[in-house]
Structures are given as C-alpha cells and as structure tokens.
C-alpha cells in the first residue's frame, strides 16, 4: 500500500499493508487530517519514525467484525487493559500502550491501518465525514470538562485561536460562560469572529486583566507564562501545548497565588460524536483545504503556514 | 521597643512601638518562631525591609478590645475586605493586603505588633504556648486539605522532612492513607521516625516508584522535578516550596501525563487550633531550641543549620 513515511524526511512509499492481530481490525482510511502533533513529530517530537497521523475516518474491512462495512472513528491509544493505570480508569495513560501514528503504531497517512475493535466508534449518519474527522481533536477539547468544573459564572481566557483553540472555544461558548479567545494573528482572530467565537487580538488584553480559568493552546513555549500572568489567585490553567523543550517557570508565583496547573491530553469520543451529531459543534469553518492523498506533501506544506487551520486529506 | 530589623543585615534596634489604627489592636509578643520564609527574606526574598517574623503567640494589650488580656494567635494576611478577591472568599490573596513580617507590615521579632482584631483567635487553655506558636504553619499544612480531596486509599509521597514537611506528614497520618516522607538528611529522617512519621531516606525510593499525590516541601528549586518524576499520570503535586528563582520544567510531561500542579500557601486557623487542642497534632518534637529574645541572632544561626527544625524565641 501507499503510505507517507517519516524517517529523516517525509516521503511517500510503498510499504506492506498492516495485518490485524488479536482483537484488531483492518480499516481503510477515507479521510485523514493533520494535527499540530504531526507537525511536531516531523521535527523530531516523540522520536517517532514510520507512518504518522492519528486523525481519521475509515471503513472497517474485516469481515468477521460486527463493524464490517461501517464508517468509524478510532481512539488512538491502544492499552493493555491489565496494568494499574488501565484498571484505575486511566487507559490513555497505560505505560504499555501504543499510540496511533505517535508511538509504536503505524498511523493514518496510508491506505490502511489496524486498530483494536474496542477503540472504534460508528459515525452517526448525519455527521459529514469531513466533520467526523474532527472527532479526535474535539474529544481532546472535551477532556478539559472531564478534568475540571467550569462554572458558567466564571470568565475564561483561551490563548491561541488555532485548530484546537477554536474547538475549545466552541465548547466554552456552549457552557454559557464569559470567554475570550486571544491570538496574535489577525487572520485567525478574523476567522474566529466569523465563526461566532468571541475572539480578540492579544494586544487588546490589558496587563492587569485576569480570568478564573485560562487555557493555553498557543503551541508556544511562552504560552504558559503568558497565561499565568492573566490568572486570578486560585485560578486554573489548562495546559494543552506540547513542545519539544523545557521552559523556565517562576514557581513562587504558583505557590503565592495558589495557582492550579492542569495538563490535558486525549478525551472521550462519545460526547464528541454527540455534539457533532446535534450540530452543537461545527468544525466545517476550520477546514483550510482538502487535498487528495497524492498531494499529501503539499498538504503538509499548507498545514505549516501560520494562518492555516485544519488541512484534510481525501484517500 | 526592642526589635530585630532587616535592612542589609539583621540587627537588634530600638524602634517606635507600632500604634493600632482602625480595627487593629496592640499585641505583646510572648513567643515567636522562625519560618523558612524568614530565612529566605534575609536573603532578599520579597524585597522586605523592616521587622520580619509572622509566627507568634501574644497577649492583647488594647483595653477597648473584647480580646483584652487574652492569649492569641493571628492570621498574617491583613486584607481590605472590599475587593473582588476578598468578596469571593480569597482574602489571603487580596491585592491590597499587607502581610505580617513579609509585606508592608512590621513583624513579630519585636516586643509588640499590631493586627486587625478580626485576624486573632483565642488560644484554648489546654494548648501550651510553645505548641500554639505552630498554629500558622499548621494552618498552611491544613490548606492542602482545603484545596484537594485526599482519598484514604491513595498513596502519597511527601518530599522534605523539615518543619513544614513534618506537620504535613502528621496530617496525612491522620487521613489514614499510605504516605511516606522522604529526605536526604539522615538526622531528619531519624527524627521523623522517632515522632511516628513513616519517613525514609530519599535514596530508598526506586526510580519507577510512583504516588497519586506528591507534596514538595523540600525548599529546593529541584523539588518540583523530583516530585513530578514520582507522580502517576493524572496525579496531583502540591507545591509548598518558595524560592527566589525560576526553574526549567518539562511542560510536555505535564500535558502528556495530565499532571495537576497546585500551589499552596496560607490556611485556616480554626482547624489548626482544633487539632492542637485535641492533641491530634503534636508539634513539640519539632522544637530544636528555645532562645530568649536577647539571643535572637543566635536563634537565626541555629535555624539556618541543615539539621534544624523549629527554633522558638521567648520574648
């Protein structure tokens, strides 16, 4: 099968089709999408080599599966189910896990993948496939609401109006709270405003303006210190940024202000599909371009441009 | 009155007695104690100049007060009561506050102080004054339990068997959970074991040993990274260390492991007095030495020694 392979560089190659083992099924990829993590991976993040990609919709090809012929999305963490973390409700943190396109598991920028049957969710008929491909990042956005209580009376600052920042913003809009999404990029702020998000240029934020909850999805190393400087004492900072470096942090301010910093990663697919199916989250305005698989290198070039949001690939 | 004054160095001087204003009362200091914050202050922390010290027991001298003649302890944050943070239950974070011996308020290493009447709590008769002087640091230890739920089924690592670490350890012992208190100093570990704390040398902790809750009260910059390396995914790290520098932190690990980092500072006096009064927390073994006020410079020298715990001053 044809696949995009990352070694030192990105190349499209013929590689063997993956074979399902144990409880896995074979899935034909219909659409995939490029995530910031993919862009970090091709810079060396996680030391991953092979086929990247983890956002997809596909069709199950394994005849013996009850999902045969169904269009599905899939949870990217493949866990052992037996360790302490799996047994205590933390399967996405299983130390024995593989992660689709990120860790020891060939990803979705290919014709086929394999995943455990239990990782798959059938896509409701009324969700367009180009929206369903957002299920995984939307689940990651929803994870925030699994982790902490957001009170509708609280004010919230979201830093970063990128792909993830805008999905998160749509969720805060549903909560009814007073949120503002900040970005330094005028094009992104304009785009966010067009999609009904309460967005603003970062330069409009006063030095002493503060929020009860801040979300850092800037994707920049400096995002955490920016967000902390706009957090009320006893406020909560949700950290979504993953970058390949360490940052200096003033620990005193965390103690003195009793800040709470909460790292946030993967989330649940069911509520994501529910919100997409009800039309309460609409990811369509976040699509910058759709490329055919033959143009996947061009798709990556587009995804790397500063004003870009989500780039899809039709397989 | 005689007072210990910090300017560039520490000196005992004659200075004017403070005058109570508005709702303040005059308090004669009976005992004071040296906190790590005091030791940081005389290294330049907070840029404080004047009389340091905030742990005390005293007697109210203002005749018009209902507390006249009573032996009291006192909340160190003097808040405005009117700002957004005061009105939302965060008086210890009031931006207009003064802090006894730490910020714009003369401290307790003197004959007299003034504090608002509402900051004071009467010491129950059955608490020895040399135990009551631990009310403020014990309240800071109790703050952890105001901030997060500690489940008795969880395992907890406490890093640092110093003054604060041992008070915190006594509280975790009361919770019934499986806790261990680690220190690199053999004398401190031995002392902790003698007082019934489940203490151990840090070198006994395996590289892959992990806890659901970690508490950093090492007082060292490196404490946070040590604690994070022993935290389970979705675990909680309570940060008690305040030091005058920034530390590099790997933000990825916070996101990937969905760690929660919670800064923790001052706490409530009522539960501290309740636990002391019932004999459920016993700070007596934490007293390294008691000096008279005339020997206060010697008291500071003793407090700075590595094996020292709490140093008291009798006024």
């Amino acid at each position: 099968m044809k696949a995009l392979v990352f070694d030192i560089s990105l190349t499209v190659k013929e590689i063997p089709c993956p074979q399902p083992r144990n409880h896995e099924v074979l899935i034909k990829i219909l659409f995939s999408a490029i995530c910031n993590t993919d862009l970090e991976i091709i810079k060396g993040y996680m030391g991953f080599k092979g086929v990247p990609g983890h956002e997809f919709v596909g069709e199950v090809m394994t005849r013996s599966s009850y999902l045969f012929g169904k269009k599905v999305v899939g949870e990217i963490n493949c866990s052992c189910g037996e360790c302490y973390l799996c047994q205590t409700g933390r399967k996405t943190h299983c130390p024995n896990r593989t992660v689709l396109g990120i860790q020891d598991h060939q990803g979705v920028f290919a014709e086929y993948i394999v995943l455990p049957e239990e990782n798959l969710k059938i896509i409701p008929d009324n969700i367009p496939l180009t929206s369903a491909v957002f299920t995984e990042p939307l689940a990651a956005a929803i994870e925030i609401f699994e982790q902490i209580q957001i009170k509708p009376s609280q004010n919230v600052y979201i830093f970063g109006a990128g792909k993830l920042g805008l999905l998160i913003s749509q969720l805060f809009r549903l909560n009814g709270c007073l949120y503002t999404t900040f970005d330094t990029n005028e094009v992104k702020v304009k785009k966010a405003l067009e999609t009904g998000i309460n967005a603003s240029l970062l330069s409009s934020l006063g030095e002493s303006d503060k929020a009860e909850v801040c979300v850092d999805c800037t994707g920049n190393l400096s995002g955490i210190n920016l967000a902390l400087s706009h957090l009320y004492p006893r406020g909560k900072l949700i950290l979504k940024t993953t970058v390949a470096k360490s940052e200096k942090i003033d620990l005193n301010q965390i103690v003195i202000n009793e800040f709470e910093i909460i790292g946030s990663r993967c989330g649940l697919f069911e509520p994501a599909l529910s919100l997409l199916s009800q039309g309460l989250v609409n990811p369509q305005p976040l699509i910058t371009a759709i490329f055919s698989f033959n143009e996947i290198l061009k798709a990556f070039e587009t995804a790397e441009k500063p004003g870009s949001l989500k780039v899809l690939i039709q397989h």
Side-chain angles (χ1 to χ4, degrees), chain A residues 221-226 228 237 239 246-255 259 261:
Chain A
L221 209 51
S222 57
I224 184 170
N225 284 321
L226 170 68
L228 286 176
L237 165 62
L239 210 56
S246 297
E247 174 68 338
K248 271 206 173 178
I249 297 181
D250 173 9
L251 299 177
N252 284 336
Q253 65 169 334
I254 299 175
V255 175
F259 289 147
I261 300 174

Side-chain angles (χ1 to χ4, degrees), chain A residues 166 170 173 186-199 282 285-286 309:
Chain A
L166 291 182
Q170 289 205 30
R173 186 178 53 180
E186 280 187 40
V187 179
K188 283 190 179 169
V189 170
K190 197 162 161 264
K191 184 82 193 167
L193 286 168
E194 281 167 17
T195 67
I197 297 301
N198 186 37
N282 177 18
L286 275 64
L309 292 172

Side-chain angles (χ1 to χ4, degrees), chain A residues 27-34 38 52-59 71-74 100 107-113 123 127-137 284 287 289-293 296 310-315:
Chain A
I27 300 155
K28 183 176 164 60
I29 303 296
L30 302 174
F31 281 95
S32 60
I34 301 174
D38 301 321
H54 57 276
E55 298 180 5
F56 76 98
V57 295
E59 186 177 328
K71 295 195 173 50
V72 294
V73 287
L100 185 64
V108 304
F109 299 135
E111 283 180 70
Y112 297 97
I113 59 161
I123 300 167
I127 305 178
L129 296 186
T130 53
S131 288
V133 78
F134 284 86
T135 306
E136 197 276 337
Q284 288 293 321
I287 300 173
I290 305 180
F291 290 89
S292 73
F293 185 75
I296 193 163
K310 193 59 97 184
V311 173
L312 268 53
I313 296 132
Q314 185 160 20
H315 290 239

Side-chain angles (χ1 to χ4, degrees), chain A residues 75 92 136 138-143 146 240 265-269 271:
Chain A
E75 156 64 48
T92 58
E136 197 276 337
L138 180 58
I142 290 170
E143 175 71 352
E146 279 288 312
K240 278 287 187 189
R265 197 167 47 97
C266 297
L268 298 170
F269 276 42

Side-chain angles (χ1 to χ4, degrees), chain A residues 9-315:
Chain A
S9 62
L10 278 176
T11 43
V12 178
K13 281 187 192 169
E14 274 292 327
I15 64 165
C17 185
Q19 300 299 316
R21 290 180 307 177
N22 305 321
H23 303 290
E24 288 177 341
V25 296
L26 186 72
I27 300 155
K28 183 176 164 60
I29 303 296
L30 302 174
F31 281 95
S32 60
I34 301 174
C35 170
N36 254 20
T37 306
D38 301 321
L39 300 178
E40 288 291 320
I41 277 174
I42 64 174
K43 290 178 201 158
Y45 174 66
M46 295 296 292
F48 178 81
K49 301 213 164 159
V51 182
H54 57 276
E55 298 180 5
F56 76 98
V57 295
E59 186 177 328
V60 176
M61 308 303 285
T62 301
R63 283 183 179 275
S64 59
S65 169
Y66 81 99
L67 293 169
F68 174 66
K70 299 287 184 196
K71 295 195 173 50
V72 294
V73 287
E75 156 64 48
I76 69 174
N77 296 279
C78 307
S79 311
C80 75
E82 287 167 12
C83 68
Y84 171 69
L85 289 169
C86 282
Q87 301 275 323
T88 54
R90 288 172 282 190
K91 291 185 78 166
T92 58
H93 293 283
C94 169
N96 310 312
R97 75 186 182 279
T98 65
V99 188
L100 185 64
I102 295 175
Q103 194 178 318
D104 302 327
H105 198 124
Q106 300 286 22
V108 304
F109 299 135
E111 283 180 70
Y112 297 97
I113 59 161
V114 292
L115 269 183
E117 194 178 56
E118 65 165 15
N119 283 37
L120 305 177
K121 302 281 170 222
I122 296 172
I123 300 167
D125 286 338
N126 68 340
I127 305 178
L129 296 186
T130 53
S131 288
V133 78
F134 284 86
T135 306
E136 197 276 337
L138 180 58
I142 290 170
E143 175 71 352
I144 296 172
F145 297 80
E146 279 288 312
Q147 295 179 290
I148 64 166
Q149 181 192 15
I150 310 285
K151 300 183 189 178
S153 62
Q154 288 177 320
N155 71 327
V156 177
Y157 291 163
I158 298 152
F159 294 98
K163 304 178 274 292
L164 184 58
L166 291 182
L167 288 175
I168 289 169
S169 300
Q170 289 205 30
L171 295 174
F172 278 100
R173 186 178 53 180
L174 293 177
N175 176 278
C177 64
L178 188 67
Y179 74 94
T180 316
T181 306
F182 295 99
D183 206 293
T184 52
N185 183 314
E186 280 187 40
V187 179
K188 283 190 179 169
V189 170
K190 197 162 161 264
K191 184 82 193 167
L193 286 168
E194 281 167 17
T195 67
I197 297 301
N198 186 37
S200 192
L201 270 173
L202 182 60
S203 57
S204 72
L205 185 64
E207 210 175 292
S208 63
D209 290 342
K210 289 188 193 295
E212 297 289 358
V213 174
C214 288
V215 183
D216 170 28
C217 33
T218 57
N220 296 322
L221 209 51
S222 57
I224 184 170
N225 284 321
L226 170 68
L228 286 176
S229 72
H230 291 288
L231 198 58
Y232 276 121
R234 291 198 189 145
K236 294 177 186 189
L237 165 62
I238 298 282
L239 210 56
K240 278 287 187 189
T241 294
T242 46
V243 272
K245 287 180 190 162
S246 297
E247 174 68 338
K248 271 206 173 178
I249 297 181
D250 173 9
L251 299 177
N252 284 336
Q253 65 169 334
I254 299 175
V255 175
I256 292 173
N257 294 305
E258 297 193 309
F259 289 147
E260 212 169 317
I261 300 174
I262 302 135
S264 181
R265 197 167 47 97
C266 297
L268 298 170
F269 276 42
E270 291 88 342
L273 288 170
S274 167
L275 290 175
L276 288 171
S277 174
Q278 294 172 84
L280 289 167
V281 169
N282 177 18
Q284 288 293 321
L286 275 64
I287 300 173
T288 291
I290 305 180
F291 290 89
S292 73
F293 185 75
N294 290 333
E295 302 171 299
I296 193 163
L297 291 174
K298 207 170 146 194
F300 266 79
E301 279 171 32
T302 303
E304 278 170 331
K305 287 182 187 157
S308 282
L309 292 172
K310 193 59 97 184
V311 173
L312 268 53
I313 296 132
Q314 185 160 20
H315 290 239

